[in-house]
Amino acid sequence: MKLTGFPFLLCFLPCVLILYWSFRRFYRVQNAILLAASLVFYGSYGWRNLFFLAFSIVITWTCGLAGWKVSGQGEGRRAGKGIWLFGVFLNLGMLAVFKYAGFAVENANRVLGALHRPALPLPALLLPVGLSFYVFQTTSYLLDLYHGKIRPERNLLTYGAYAAFFPTLISGPIQKSWRTLPLFQKRRRLSYADWQGALFTFLYGGFLKLVIADRLARFTDPVFAGFGSCSSVVLLLAVPAYAVQIYADFAGYSDMAIAVAGLLGFSLHSNFERPYLALTIVDFWRRWHISLTDWFREYLYFPLGGSRKGKVRTYCNVAIVFLVSGLWHGAQWHYVFWGGLHAFYQIFGRLTLPARERFRRKAGIRSESGIYRIWQRLCVFFLTSFAWIFFRNGFDDACSFLACLWKNRKLPALSGDGGLLTLFPAAEIAISFAAAALLLVVSSVRETGRDIRWLTGRKTAVRFACGLLLLTAVAVFGLYGPGYSGSAFIYAGF
């Protein structure tokens, strides 16, 4: 059941909203409804997935209460922290086994093969949908207890509703318990302005996913799959196209998830803040997948020492965080390389900052000038787009892709095998350019501070026109599969 599918939009969500708001005075009943709806939603991806979700919920809730009961002063406090860390170990251990066991065995077999030893059998394990997302969310609960940020939730239904919250269950945004769990412990309200904002956000998310991401996938998928027969021009076009595609796909899901949460009375933080308008790589990671970046910053980077223990230690901590972040995305070395590449960008940028600033001042370039800011943004877009090549196809294929960029230096034929118009017809190009232009305009406007709340305060005619424009764009230009359902979201696989 996808957020862009008719079964979700016309059946599941309306039924949940009607039942949920029928008990608006009883938030615990609403939590029970949310938990039941989340189990149905997650079970639609395969009933076996429910065992892993239930394990994560029960283990973290039980360890949270058990640790609190024994914690106190002295030895009791240490025992409580030990129980919470044991719960973290079990929870992350499930993620490690089902997501990384095969990866570990494959690499062990390479070593054994070099030593002429018999290979280990590869485990055939199910990888539950969205496992990385809800494991991080439930782990944050135990870590927040460990650091004294929250008190344990005694009601299993309330905690389960938080841990299995269906809008964010598959692809986030990842919620921290100290910020989100209190929202489940009180009554929720839905104002007319909140309802409008959620509707606009959902339509805009659908526009990003169905009109931009899925349409660009029609071009990028065949190019990255058959790059050997494509000209350099086509390959060069595919790289920024994929950068926009993955952003529109993931940001579209995040916007729709936040909108659905808003319809349920929950105000969640944005997961993307126009990352391709960032001025530096550090700024990019303040804007891209914000919930994951914040999670690693709070639960890994700061405990490692952050930037408080000298430059060398800071650079090591940055490298560790990004290597782990790459591994979080998938059990493949090319994800680790992608994370390491972003770590290199940040470390190199910090090391060369004084020299670059001296050069800028000597050249008389003003840092606040429009041209200089455009140059910075183009550099960030180029560097991140280059890294996406390794993220998209794997290390070996990425190297071959880059080699073809050099070898296939010829103008592309407009038709025939590998022709640009064969891969991407003129109508598709026109729609993609128009949609990307609209995305750039909206992003530029939102960069000035005018967000959805600003739009909901406009006159009725303006709001109606904007809503109708988005709805028409999604309905007419969106791409739909069987049952008028959008394709799977890229980050659901992580």
Side-chain angles (χ1 to χ4, degrees):
M1 193 186 309
K2 296 189 285 286
L3 267 62
T4 52
F6 274 20
F8 178 85
L9 295 174
L10 299 184
C11 181
F12 179 81
L13 184 60
C15 291
V16 170
L17 290 175
I18 292 171
L19 185 61
Y20 176 84
W21 287 113
S22 298
F23 294 92
R24 59 184 176 276
R25 296 184 179 180
F26 309 99
Y27 74 88
R28 287 190 176 88
V29 178
Q30 288 183 317
N31 289 338
I33 294 170
L34 277 181
L35 178 57
S38 298
L39 295 178
V40 172
F41 177 83
Y42 194 54
S44 68
Y45 288 88
W47 62 270
R48 292 181 180 86
N49 292 318
L50 294 172
F51 292 106
F52 303 97
L53 177 61
F55 177 86
S56 182
I57 292 173
V58 172
I59 285 296
T60 52
W61 179 74
T62 302
C63 288
L65 282 180
W68 185 264
K69 287 182 179 179
V70 302
S71 62
Q73 301 295 326
E75 293 297 327
R77 180 63 177 169
R78 283 193 288 271
K81 286 190 171 185
I83 293 174
W84 292 329
L85 290 179
F86 177 69
V88 170
F89 173 78
L90 289 178
N91 203 33
L92 293 179
M94 176 180 66
L95 176 64
V97 169
F98 287 93
K99 189 168 184 176
Y100 302 106
F103 176 65
V105 171
E106 284 180 3
N107 287 279
N109 284 340
R110 290 175 184 171
V111 176
L112 291 173
L115 298 174
H116 305 289
R117 300 287 184 178
L120 300 172
L122 282 173
L125 299 175
L126 169 71
L127 179 59
V129 176
L131 180 66
S132 298
F133 288 93
Y134 64 74
V135 164
F136 268 34
Q137 184 155 313
T138 51
T139 297
S140 80
Y141 171 72
L142 292 177
L143 293 176
D144 288 341
L145 285 171
Y146 181 90
H147 293 294
K149 294 182 178 180
I150 59 170
R151 296 172 67 89
E153 173 53 55
R154 298 183 180 277
N155 189 304
L156 179 58
L157 291 179
T158 297
Y159 177 72
Y162 152 78
F165 192 44
F166 73 86
T168 64
L169 184 60
I170 302 301
S171 293
I174 301 168
Q175 302 303 310
K176 297 176 184 175
S177 64
W178 64 264
R179 178 183 291 161
T180 308
L181 186 56
L183 302 178
F184 290 83
Q185 298 167 337
K186 60 184 180 180
R187 289 177 59 182
R188 276 81 70 176
R189 293 178 174 83
L190 181 65
S191 67
Y192 180 62
D194 293 335
W195 180 85
Q196 287 185 94
L199 181 61
F200 280 122
T201 302
F202 191 90
L203 286 174
Y204 186 65
F207 171 79
L208 292 177
K209 167 62 176 171
L210 297 171
V211 180
I212 298 180
D214 286 357
R215 192 170 298 281
L216 287 175
R218 286 187 168 185
F219 173 58
T220 60
D221 287 350
V223 171
F224 277 98
F227 54 80
S229 60
C230 297
S231 71
S232 296
V233 174
V234 172
L235 298 181
L236 283 172
L237 290 173
V239 174
Y242 181 72
V244 176
Q245 176 199 343
I246 194 170
Y247 163 68
D249 189 282
F250 195 16
Y253 181 95
S254 295
D255 281 350
M256 286 186 279
I258 291 170
V260 173
L263 292 174
L264 294 166
F266 295 90
S267 178
L268 303 185
H269 291 267
S270 175
N271 205 24
F272 288 86
E273 292 289 347
R274 303 162 298 282
Y276 291 137
L277 295 182
L279 300 175
T280 65
I281 292 295
V282 174
D283 188 26
F284 173 85
W285 281 103
R286 294 192 188 106
R287 297 163 174 257
W288 178 278
H289 203 173
I290 297 170
S291 63
L292 181 66
T293 304
D294 284 350
W295 199 99
F296 278 119
R297 182 187 298 115
E298 183 168 341
Y299 301 120
L300 183 59
Y301 181 69
F302 289 157
L304 287 173
S307 58
R308 303 186 303 274
K309 298 186 177 182
K311 289 185 178 180
V312 174
R313 183 68 176 271
T314 298
Y315 298 152
C316 290
N317 293 340
V318 169
I320 291 171
V321 167
F322 276 94
L323 290 172
V324 174
S325 175
L327 192 60
W328 177 90
H329 283 81
Q332 298 290 339
W333 283 115
H334 67 91
Y335 291 119
V336 179
F337 181 83
W338 170 80
L341 193 55
H342 272 278
F344 170 78
Y345 288 162
Q346 293 213 26
I347 294 170
F348 184 80
R350 296 186 188 194
L351 288 172
T352 60
L353 180 61
R356 288 186 288 114
E357 285 297 300
R358 286 195 300 270
F359 174 80
R360 181 183 60 77
R361 286 193 296 269
K362 288 182 179 180
I365 302 173
R366 293 183 299 109
S367 61
E368 66 276 10
S369 68
I371 294 177
Y372 183 67
R373 286 177 174 268
I374 291 174
W375 167 252
Q376 287 180 293
R377 285 166 174 152
L378 288 175
C379 288
V380 170
F381 185 71
F382 170 80
L383 291 173
T384 53
S385 297
F386 176 78
W388 286 129
I389 298 173
F390 294 90
F391 185 93
R392 171 65 171 77
N393 261 28
F395 188 80
D396 291 340
D397 282 348
C399 292
S400 299
F401 183 95
L402 294 173
C404 288
L405 271 174
W406 175 255
K407 291 188 299 184
N408 299 352
R409 299 189 308 275
K410 59 182 180 180
L411 290 176
L414 292 180
S415 59
D417 291 341
L420 180 61
L421 295 182
T422 302
L423 293 168
F424 210 41
E428 300 279 339
I429 294 175
I431 294 172
S432 297
F433 266 105
L438 181 59
L439 170 61
L440 180 60
V441 170
V442 172
S443 298
S444 300
V445 171
R446 295 181 74 174
E447 191 73 2
T448 65
R450 297 176 179 177
D451 57 8
I452 294 297
R453 288 187 294 273
W454 175 84
L455 181 60
T456 56
R458 300 303 94 194
K459 293 182 179 180
T460 303
V462 175
R463 286 183 278 119
F464 179 80
C466 290
L468 184 61
L469 175 64
L470 276 174
L471 181 60
T472 302
V474 173
V476 175
F477 299 110
L479 294 180
Y480 305 93
Y484 297 97
S485 177
S487 64
F489 290 90
I490 294 174
Y491 262 68
F494 303 135

